[in-house]
Amino acid sequence: VTVATNVYKNHIEVSIKDNGAGIPENIKDKIFQPFFTTKETGKGTGLGLSLAYDIVKAHGGEVKVNSIENEGTEFIITLPFVI
């Protein structure tokens, strides 16, 4: 896992990248939906990414995901500076 930060004139960017299995294209548009999970019953609630997305959005930011199957995934969180 690699974490990187960048500071720009009016926002900050945090990147979290791994070299795991990646996210299949057919579910990429669902990963931020509440209760969506690929885990078996009882092994997860499907709320983690949904809550993180909602928190970032509530602060005026955005979350982007770049993923390639069998290569890894990168989440990029952008948050504005509040002055």
Side-chain angles (χ1 to χ4, degrees):
V1 174
T2 304
V3 177
T5 58
N6 288 303
V7 179
Y8 298 96
K9 186 176 182 178
N10 61 356
H11 69 278
I12 187 168
E13 189 176 272
V14 180
S15 167
I16 302 100
K17 187 175 186 176
D18 71 20
N19 61 351
I23 302 170
E25 277 298 320
N26 63 329
I27 66 166
K28 214 181 274 188
D29 61 337
K30 300 175 187 173
I31 63 172
F32 296 113
Q33 294 176 4
F35 305 108
F36 176 78
T37 183
T38 58
K39 295 179 181 176
E40 57 189 77
T41 304
K43 298 288 183 179
T45 62
L47 290 174
L49 285 175
S50 173
L51 287 172
Y53 181 86
D54 287 347
I55 291 167
V56 171
K57 293 299 271 185
H59 287 86
E62 66 178 300
V63 180
K64 296 182 214 172
V65 60
N66 300 317
S67 187
I68 300 173
E69 283 190 78
N70 301 314
E71 289 188 26
T73 300
E74 177 182 32
F75 286 92
I76 302 169
I77 300 166
T78 305
L79 292 167
F81 286 131
V82 179
I83 299 173

Coordinates of all heavy atoms in Angstrom, one line a residue:
V1 N 0.8 -1.2 0.0 CA 0.0 0.0 0.0 C 0.9 1.2 0.0 O 1.9 1.3 0.8 CB -0.9 0.0 1.2 CG1 -1.7 1.3 1.3 CG2 -1.9 -1.2 1.2
T2 N 0.6 2.2 -0.9 CA 1.3 3.4 -0.9 C 0.3 4.6 -0.7 O -0.8 4.6 -1.3 CB 1.9 3.6 -2.4 OG1 2.7 2.5 -2.6 CG2 2.7 4.9 -2.4
V3 N 0.7 5.5 0.2 CA -0.1 6.7 0.5 C 0.7 7.9 0.1 O 1.9 8.0 0.5 CB -0.5 6.7 2.0 CG1 -1.3 8.0 2.3 CG2 -1.3 5.5 2.4
A4 N 0.1 8.8 -0.7 CA 0.8 10.0 -1.1 C -0.1 11.2 -0.9 O -1.3 11.1 -1.0 CB 1.3 9.9 -2.5
T5 N 0.5 12.4 -0.6 CA -0.3 13.6 -0.5 C 0.3 14.6 -1.4 O 1.5 14.7 -1.7 CB -0.4 14.1 0.9 OG1 1.0 14.4 1.3 CG2 -1.0 13.1 1.8
N6 N -0.6 15.5 -2.0 CA -0.2 16.6 -2.7 C -1.0 17.8 -2.3 O -2.2 17.7 -2.0 CB -0.4 16.4 -4.2 CG 0.6 15.4 -4.8 OD1 1.8 15.6 -4.7 ND2 0.1 14.4 -5.4
V7 N -0.3 19.0 -2.2 CA -1.0 20.2 -1.8 C -1.0 21.1 -3.0 O 0.1 21.4 -3.6 CB -0.3 20.9 -0.6 CG1 -1.0 22.2 -0.2 CG2 -0.3 19.9 0.6
Y8 N -2.1 21.6 -3.3 CA -2.3 22.6 -4.5 C -2.8 23.9 -3.9 O -3.0 24.0 -2.7 CB -3.3 22.0 -5.5 CG -2.8 20.7 -6.1 CD1 -3.2 19.5 -5.6 CD2 -1.9 20.7 -7.1 CE1 -2.8 18.3 -6.1 CE2 -1.4 19.5 -7.7 CZ -1.9 18.3 -7.1 OH -1.4 17.1 -7.7
K9 N -3.0 24.8 -4.8 CA -3.4 26.2 -4.4 C -4.7 26.2 -3.6 O -4.7 26.9 -2.6 CB -3.5 27.1 -5.6 CG -3.8 28.5 -5.3 CD -3.8 29.4 -6.6 CE -4.0 30.8 -6.2 NZ -4.0 31.7 -7.4
N10 N -5.7 25.4 -4.0 CA -7.0 25.5 -3.3 C -7.5 24.2 -2.8 O -8.6 24.1 -2.4 CB -8.0 26.2 -4.2 CG -8.2 25.5 -5.5 OD1 -7.5 24.5 -5.8 ND2 -9.1 25.9 -6.3
H11 N -6.7 23.1 -2.9 CA -7.1 21.8 -2.4 C -5.9 20.9 -2.1 O -4.8 21.2 -2.5 CB -8.1 21.1 -3.4 CG -7.4 20.7 -4.7 ND1 -7.1 21.5 -5.7 CD2 -6.9 19.5 -5.1 CE1 -6.5 20.9 -6.7 NE2 -6.4 19.6 -6.4
I12 N -6.3 19.9 -1.4 CA -5.3 18.8 -1.0 C -5.8 17.5 -1.7 O -7.0 17.3 -1.8 CB -5.1 18.7 0.5 CG1 -3.9 17.7 0.8 CG2 -6.4 18.3 1.2 CD1 -3.5 17.8 2.2
E13 N -4.8 16.7 -2.0 CA -5.1 15.4 -2.7 C -4.4 14.3 -1.9 O -3.2 14.4 -1.6 CB -4.7 15.4 -4.1 CG -5.1 14.3 -4.9 CD -4.7 14.5 -6.4 OE1 -5.4 15.1 -7.2 OE2 -3.6 14.0 -6.7
V14 N -5.2 13.3 -1.6 CA -4.6 12.1 -0.9 C -4.8 10.9 -1.8 O -6.0 10.6 -2.2 CB -5.3 11.9 0.5 CG1 -4.7 10.6 1.2 CG2 -5.1 13.1 1.4
S15 N -3.8 10.2 -2.1 CA -3.9 9.0 -2.9 C -3.5 7.7 -2.1 O -2.5 7.7 -1.4 CB -2.9 9.1 -4.1 OG -2.7 7.9 -4.8
I16 N -4.4 6.7 -2.2 CA -4.1 5.4 -1.5 C -4.1 4.4 -2.6 O -5.1 4.2 -3.3 CB -5.2 5.1 -0.5 CG1 -5.2 6.2 0.6 CG2 -4.9 3.8 0.2 CD1 -6.3 7.2 0.4
K17 N -3.0 3.7 -2.8 CA -2.8 2.8 -3.9 C -2.3 1.5 -3.4 O -1.5 1.4 -2.5 CB -1.8 3.4 -4.9 CG -1.6 2.7 -6.2 CD -0.7 3.5 -7.1 CE -0.6 2.9 -8.5 NZ 0.2 3.7 -9.4
D18 N -2.9 0.4 -4.0 CA -2.4 -1.0 -3.7 C -2.1 -1.7 -5.0 O -2.4 -1.3 -6.1 CB -3.4 -1.7 -2.8 CG -4.6 -2.1 -3.5 OD1 -4.7 -2.2 -4.8 OD2 -5.7 -2.4 -2.8
N19 N -1.5 -2.9 -4.8 CA -1.2 -3.7 -6.0 C -2.0 -5.1 -5.9 O -1.5 -6.1 -6.2 CB 0.3 -4.0 -6.0 CG 0.9 -4.7 -4.8 OD1 0.2 -4.9 -3.8 ND2 2.1 -5.2 -4.9
G20 N -3.2 -5.0 -5.4 CA -4.0 -6.1 -5.2 C -4.7 -6.6 -6.4 O -4.3 -6.3 -7.6
A21 N -5.8 -7.3 -6.2 CA -6.6 -7.9 -7.3 C -7.3 -6.9 -8.2 O -7.8 -7.2 -9.3 CB -7.6 -8.9 -6.8
G22 N -7.5 -5.6 -7.8 CA -8.2 -4.7 -8.5 C -9.7 -4.8 -8.4 O -10.2 -5.8 -7.8
I23 N -10.5 -3.9 -8.9 CA -11.9 -4.0 -8.9 C -12.5 -4.3 -10.3 O -12.2 -3.5 -11.2 CB -12.5 -2.6 -8.4 CG1 -11.9 -2.3 -7.0 CG2 -14.0 -2.6 -8.4 CD1 -12.2 -0.9 -6.5
P24 N -13.3 -5.3 -10.4 CA -13.8 -5.6 -11.7 C -14.7 -4.5 -12.3 O -15.4 -3.8 -11.5 CB -14.7 -6.9 -11.4 CG -14.2 -7.5 -10.2 CD -13.6 -6.3 -9.4
E25 N -14.6 -4.3 -13.6 CA -15.4 -3.2 -14.2 C -16.9 -3.3 -13.9 O -17.5 -2.2 -13.7 CB -15.2 -3.2 -15.7 CG -13.9 -2.5 -16.2 CD -13.9 -1.1 -15.9 OE1 -14.9 -0.3 -16.0 OE2 -12.8 -0.6 -15.5
N26 N -17.4 -4.5 -13.9 CA -18.9 -4.6 -13.7 C -19.4 -4.2 -12.3 O -20.6 -4.1 -12.1 CB -19.3 -6.0 -14.1 CG -18.7 -7.1 -13.1 OD1 -17.6 -6.9 -12.6 ND2 -19.5 -8.2 -12.9
I27 N -18.5 -4.0 -11.4 CA -19.0 -3.6 -10.0 C -18.4 -2.2 -9.6 O -18.8 -1.7 -8.6 CB -18.7 -4.6 -8.9 CG1 -17.2 -4.7 -8.7 CG2 -19.3 -5.9 -9.2 CD1 -16.8 -5.5 -7.4
K28 N -17.5 -1.6 -10.5 CA -16.9 -0.4 -10.1 C -17.9 0.7 -9.8 O -17.7 1.6 -8.9 CB -16.0 0.1 -11.2 CG -14.7 0.8 -10.8 CD -13.9 1.2 -11.9 CE -12.9 0.1 -12.3 NZ -11.9 0.6 -13.3
D29 N -19.0 0.8 -10.5 CA -20.0 1.8 -10.3 C -20.9 1.6 -9.1 O -21.7 2.4 -8.7 CB -20.9 2.0 -11.6 CG -21.7 0.7 -11.9 OD1 -21.3 -0.4 -11.5 OD2 -22.7 0.9 -12.6
K30 N -20.7 0.4 -8.4 CA -21.5 0.1 -7.2 C -20.8 0.2 -5.9 O -21.4 0.2 -4.9 CB -22.0 -1.3 -7.4 CG -22.9 -1.6 -8.6 CD -23.2 -3.1 -8.7 CE -23.9 -3.3 -10.0 NZ -24.1 -4.8 -10.2
I31 N -19.5 0.4 -5.9 CA -18.7 0.3 -4.7 C -19.0 1.3 -3.7 O -18.7 1.1 -2.5 CB -17.2 0.2 -5.0 CG1 -16.7 1.5 -5.7 CG2 -16.8 -1.0 -5.8 CD1 -15.2 1.6 -5.8
F32 N -19.5 2.5 -4.1 CA -19.9 3.5 -3.1 C -21.3 3.4 -2.6 O -21.7 4.3 -1.8 CB -19.5 4.9 -3.7 CG -18.1 5.1 -3.9 CD1 -17.6 5.2 -5.2 CD2 -17.1 5.1 -2.9 CE1 -16.3 5.5 -5.5 CE2 -15.8 5.3 -3.2 CZ -15.4 5.5 -4.5
Q33 N -22.1 2.5 -3.1 CA -23.5 2.3 -2.7 C -23.5 1.7 -1.3 O -22.8 0.7 -1.0 CB -24.2 1.4 -3.6 CG -24.4 2.0 -5.0 CD -25.1 1.1 -6.0 OE1 -25.5 0.0 -5.6 NE2 -25.2 1.5 -7.2
P34 N -24.4 2.2 -0.4 CA -24.5 1.6 0.9 C -24.9 0.1 0.9 O -25.8 -0.3 0.0 CB -25.7 2.4 1.6 CG -25.7 3.7 0.8 CD -25.3 3.3 -0.6
F35 N -24.3 -0.7 1.7 CA -24.6 -2.1 1.8 C -24.1 -3.0 0.7 O -24.4 -4.2 0.6 CB -26.1 -2.4 2.1 CG -26.6 -1.6 3.3 CD1 -27.4 -0.5 3.2 CD2 -26.1 -2.0 4.6 CE1 -27.9 0.2 4.3 CE2 -26.6 -1.2 5.7 CZ -27.4 -0.2 5.5
F36 N -23.4 -2.4 -0.3 CA -22.9 -3.2 -1.4 C -21.6 -3.9 -0.9 O -20.7 -3.2 -0.4 CB -22.5 -2.4 -2.6 CG -21.9 -3.2 -3.7 CD1 -22.7 -4.1 -4.5 CD2 -20.5 -3.2 -3.9 CE1 -22.1 -4.9 -5.5 CE2 -19.9 -4.0 -4.9 CZ -20.7 -4.8 -5.6
T37 N -21.5 -5.2 -1.0 CA -20.3 -5.9 -0.6 C -20.1 -7.1 -1.5 O -21.0 -7.6 -2.1 CB -20.3 -6.3 0.9 OG1 -19.1 -7.0 1.2 CG2 -21.5 -7.3 1.1
T38 N -18.8 -7.5 -1.7 CA -18.5 -8.7 -2.4 C -18.2 -9.8 -1.5 O -17.9 -10.9 -1.9 CB -17.3 -8.5 -3.4 OG1 -16.2 -8.0 -2.6 CG2 -17.7 -7.4 -4.4
K39 N -18.2 -9.5 -0.2 CA -17.9 -10.5 0.8 C -19.1 -11.4 1.1 O -20.2 -11.0 0.9 CB -17.5 -9.8 2.1 CG -16.2 -9.0 2.0 CD -15.8 -8.4 3.3 CE -14.5 -7.5 3.1 NZ -14.2 -6.8 4.3
E40 N -18.8 -12.6 1.6 CA -19.9 -13.5 1.9 C -20.7 -13.0 3.1 O -20.2 -12.2 3.9 CB -19.3 -14.9 2.2 CG -18.3 -15.0 3.3 CD -17.7 -16.3 3.4 OE1 -16.8 -16.6 2.6 OE2 -18.0 -17.1 4.3
T41 N -21.9 -13.5 3.2 CA -22.8 -13.0 4.3 C -22.2 -13.1 5.7 O -21.5 -14.1 6.0 CB -24.1 -13.9 4.3 OG1 -24.7 -13.8 3.0 CG2 -25.1 -13.4 5.3
G42 N -22.3 -12.1 6.5 CA -21.8 -12.0 7.8 C -20.3 -11.6 7.9 O -19.8 -11.5 9.0
K43 N -19.7 -11.3 6.8 CA -18.3 -11.0 6.7 C -18.0 -9.5 6.5 O -16.9 -9.0 6.5 CB -17.5 -11.8 5.7 CG -17.5 -13.2 5.9 CD -16.6 -13.6 7.1 CE -16.6 -15.1 7.2 NZ -15.8 -15.6 8.3
G44 N -19.1 -8.7 6.3 CA -18.9 -7.3 6.0 C -20.3 -6.6 5.9 O -21.2 -7.3 5.5
T45 N -20.3 -5.3 6.1 CA -21.6 -4.6 6.0 C -21.8 -3.9 4.7 O -22.9 -3.5 4.4 CB -21.8 -3.6 7.2 OG1 -20.7 -2.6 7.0 CG2 -21.7 -4.3 8.5
G46 N -20.7 -3.6 4.0 CA -20.8 -2.8 2.8 C -21.0 -1.4 3.1 O -21.5 -0.6 2.2
L47 N -20.6 -0.9 4.2 CA -20.7 0.5 4.6 C -19.4 1.3 4.5 O -19.5 2.6 4.5 CB -21.4 0.6 6.0 CG -22.8 0.2 6.0 CD1 -23.3 0.3 7.5 CD2 -23.7 1.1 5.2
G48 N -18.3 0.7 4.5 CA -17.0 1.4 4.6 C -16.8 2.4 3.6 O -16.6 3.6 3.9
L49 N -16.8 2.0 2.3 CA -16.6 3.0 1.2 C -17.8 4.0 1.1 O -17.5 5.2 0.8 CB -16.4 2.3 -0.1 CG -15.1 1.6 -0.3 CD1 -15.0 0.8 -1.6 CD2 -13.9 2.6 -0.3
S50 N -19.0 3.5 1.4 CA -20.1 4.4 1.3 C -20.0 5.6 2.3 O -20.2 6.7 2.0 CB -21.4 3.6 1.6 OG -22.5 4.5 1.7
L51 N -19.6 5.2 3.6 CA -19.5 6.2 4.6 C -18.3 7.2 4.3 O -18.4 8.4 4.5 CB -19.2 5.6 6.0 CG -20.5 4.9 6.6 CD1 -20.1 4.1 7.8 CD2 -21.5 6.0 6.9
A52 N -17.2 6.6 3.8 CA -16.0 7.5 3.5 C -16.4 8.4 2.4 O -16.1 9.6 2.4 CB -14.9 6.6 3.0
Y53 N -17.1 7.9 1.4 CA -17.6 8.8 0.3 C -18.5 9.9 0.8 O -18.3 11.1 0.4 CB -18.3 7.9 -0.8 CG -18.8 8.7 -2.0 CD1 -18.0 8.9 -3.1 CD2 -20.1 9.2 -2.0 CE1 -18.5 9.6 -4.2 CE2 -20.6 9.8 -3.1 CZ -19.7 10.0 -4.2 OH -20.2 10.7 -5.3
D54 N -19.4 9.6 1.6 CA -20.4 10.6 2.2 C -19.6 11.7 3.0 O -19.9 12.8 2.9 CB -21.4 9.9 3.0 CG -22.5 9.2 2.2 OD1 -22.5 9.3 0.9 OD2 -23.2 8.4 2.8
I55 N -18.6 11.2 3.8 CA -17.9 12.2 4.6 C -17.1 13.1 3.7 O -17.1 14.4 3.9 CB -16.9 11.4 5.6 CG1 -17.8 10.7 6.6 CG2 -15.9 12.4 6.2 CD1 -17.0 9.7 7.5
V56 N -16.4 12.6 2.7 CA -15.6 13.4 1.8 C -16.6 14.4 1.1 O -16.3 15.6 1.0 CB -14.8 12.6 0.8 CG1 -14.2 13.4 -0.3 CG2 -13.7 11.8 1.5
K57 N -17.7 13.9 0.5 CA -18.6 14.8 -0.2 C -19.2 15.9 0.8 O -19.4 17.0 0.3 CB -19.8 14.0 -0.7 CG -19.4 13.1 -1.9 CD -18.8 13.8 -3.1 CE -19.9 14.2 -4.0 NZ -19.3 14.8 -5.2
A58 N -19.5 15.6 2.0 CA -20.0 16.5 3.0 C -19.0 17.7 3.2 O -19.4 18.7 3.7 CB -20.3 15.8 4.3
H59 N -17.7 17.4 3.0 CA -16.7 18.4 3.2 C -16.3 19.1 1.9 O -15.3 19.8 1.8 CB -15.5 17.8 3.9 CG -15.7 17.6 5.3 ND1 -16.3 16.4 5.8 CD2 -15.5 18.3 6.4 CE1 -16.4 16.4 7.1 NE2 -15.9 17.6 7.5
G60 N -17.1 18.9 0.9 CA -16.9 19.6 -0.4 C -15.9 18.9 -1.3 O -15.4 19.5 -2.3
G61 N -15.5 17.7 -1.0 CA -14.5 17.0 -1.8 C -15.1 16.0 -2.7 O -16.3 15.9 -2.9
E62 N -14.2 15.2 -3.3 CA -14.6 14.1 -4.2 C -13.7 12.9 -4.0 O -12.5 13.1 -3.6 CB -14.6 14.6 -5.6 CG -13.3 15.0 -6.2 CD -13.5 15.4 -7.7 OE1 -13.9 14.5 -8.5 OE2 -13.1 16.5 -8.0
V63 N -14.2 11.8 -4.4 CA -13.4 10.5 -4.4 C -13.4 9.9 -5.8 O -14.5 9.8 -6.4 CB -14.0 9.5 -3.4 CG1 -13.2 8.2 -3.4 CG2 -14.1 10.1 -2.0
K64 N -12.2 9.6 -6.3 CA -12.1 9.0 -7.6 C -11.4 7.6 -7.4 O -10.6 7.5 -6.5 CB -11.2 9.8 -8.5 CG -11.8 11.1 -8.9 CD -10.8 11.8 -9.9 CE -10.8 13.3 -9.7 NZ -9.8 14.0 -10.5
V65 N -11.8 6.7 -8.3 CA -11.1 5.4 -8.2 C -10.6 5.0 -9.5 O -11.3 5.2 -10.6 CB -12.1 4.3 -7.6 CG1 -13.3 4.2 -8.5 CG2 -11.4 3.0 -7.4
N66 N -9.3 4.5 -9.6 CA -8.7 4.0 -10.7 C -8.3 2.6 -10.4 O -7.6 2.3 -9.4 CB -7.5 4.8 -11.1 CG -7.7 6.2 -11.4 OD1 -8.7 6.5 -12.1 ND2 -6.9 7.1 -10.9
S67 N -8.8 1.6 -11.2 CA -8.5 0.2 -10.9 C -8.3 -0.6 -12.1 O -9.1 -0.4 -13.1 CB -9.6 -0.4 -10.0 OG -9.3 -1.6 -9.6
I68 N -7.4 -1.5 -12.1 CA -7.2 -2.4 -13.2 C -7.1 -3.8 -12.6 O -6.3 -4.0 -11.6 CB -5.8 -2.1 -14.0 CG1 -5.9 -0.7 -14.5 CG2 -5.6 -3.2 -15.0 CD1 -4.6 -0.2 -15.2
E69 N -8.0 -4.7 -13.1 CA -8.0 -6.0 -12.5 C -6.6 -6.7 -12.6 O -5.9 -6.5 -13.6 CB -9.0 -6.9 -13.3 CG -10.4 -6.6 -12.9 CD -11.4 -7.6 -13.4 OE1 -11.5 -8.7 -12.9 OE2 -12.1 -7.3 -14.4
N70 N -6.2 -7.4 -11.6 CA -5.0 -8.1 -11.4 C -3.8 -7.2 -11.3 O -2.6 -7.6 -11.4 CB -4.8 -9.1 -12.5 CG -5.9 -10.1 -12.5 OD1 -6.3 -10.7 -11.5 ND2 -6.4 -10.4 -13.7
E71 N -4.0 -5.8 -11.2 CA -2.9 -4.9 -11.1 C -3.0 -4.0 -9.8 O -2.0 -3.7 -9.3 CB -2.8 -4.0 -12.3 CG -2.3 -4.8 -13.5 CD -2.0 -3.9 -14.7 OE1 -1.7 -2.7 -14.5 OE2 -2.1 -4.4 -15.9
G72 N -4.2 -3.7 -9.5 CA -4.3 -2.8 -8.3 C -5.4 -1.8 -8.4 O -6.0 -1.6 -9.4
T73 N -5.5 -1.0 -7.3 CA -6.5 0.0 -7.2 C -5.9 1.3 -6.6 O -5.1 1.2 -5.7 CB -7.7 -0.4 -6.4 OG1 -8.3 -1.6 -7.0 CG2 -8.8 0.6 -6.3
E74 N -6.4 2.4 -7.0 CA -6.0 3.7 -6.4 C -7.2 4.5 -6.2 O -8.1 4.7 -7.0 CB -5.1 4.5 -7.4 CG -4.7 5.8 -6.9 CD -3.8 6.6 -7.8 OE1 -4.0 6.4 -9.1 OE2 -2.9 7.4 -7.4
F75 N -7.3 5.0 -4.9 CA -8.4 5.9 -4.5 C -7.7 7.3 -4.4 O -6.7 7.4 -3.7 CB -9.1 5.5 -3.2 CG -10.0 4.3 -3.4 CD1 -9.5 3.0 -3.2 CD2 -11.3 4.5 -3.7 CE1 -10.3 1.9 -3.3 CE2 -12.1 3.4 -3.8 CZ -11.6 2.1 -3.6
I76 N -8.3 8.3 -5.0 CA -7.8 9.6 -4.9 C -8.9 10.5 -4.2 O -10.0 10.6 -4.8 CB -7.5 10.2 -6.3 CG1 -6.4 9.3 -6.9 CG2 -7.0 11.7 -6.1 CD1 -6.2 9.6 -8.4
I77 N -8.6 11.0 -3.1 CA -9.5 11.9 -2.3 C -9.0 13.3 -2.5 O -7.8 13.6 -2.2 CB -9.5 11.5 -0.8 CG1 -10.0 10.0 -0.7 CG2 -10.4 12.4 0.0 CD1 -9.7 9.4 0.7
T78 N -9.9 14.2 -2.9 CA -9.6 15.6 -3.1 C -10.5 16.4 -2.1 O -11.7 16.2 -2.1 CB -9.9 16.1 -4.5 OG1 -9.1 15.2 -5.4 CG2 -9.5 17.5 -4.7
L79 N -9.8 17.3 -1.3 CA -10.6 18.1 -0.3 C -10.2 19.6 -0.5 O -9.0 19.9 -0.6 CB -10.3 17.7 1.1 CG -10.8 16.3 1.5 CD1 -10.2 15.9 2.8 CD2 -12.3 16.4 1.6
P80 N -11.1 20.5 -0.6 CA -10.8 21.9 -0.7 C -10.3 22.5 0.6 O -10.6 22.0 1.7 CB -12.2 22.5 -1.1 CG -13.2 21.6 -0.4 CD -12.6 20.2 -0.5
F81 N -9.5 23.5 0.4 CA -9.1 24.3 1.6 C -10.2 25.2 2.0 O -10.8 25.9 1.1 CB -7.8 25.2 1.3 CG -6.6 24.4 1.2 CD1 -5.7 24.6 0.2 CD2 -6.2 23.5 2.2 CE1 -4.5 23.9 0.1 CE2 -5.0 22.8 2.2 CZ -4.2 23.0 1.1
V82 N -10.5 25.3 3.2 CA -11.5 26.3 3.7 C -10.8 27.4 4.4 O -10.1 27.1 5.4 CB -12.5 25.6 4.6 CG1 -13.6 26.5 5.1 CG2 -13.2 24.4 3.9
I83 N -11.0 28.6 3.9 CA -10.3 29.7 4.5 C -11.3 30.6 5.2 O -12.3 30.9 4.7 CB -9.5 30.5 3.4 CG1 -8.4 29.6 2.9 CG2 -8.8 31.7 4.0 CD1 -7.6 30.1 1.7

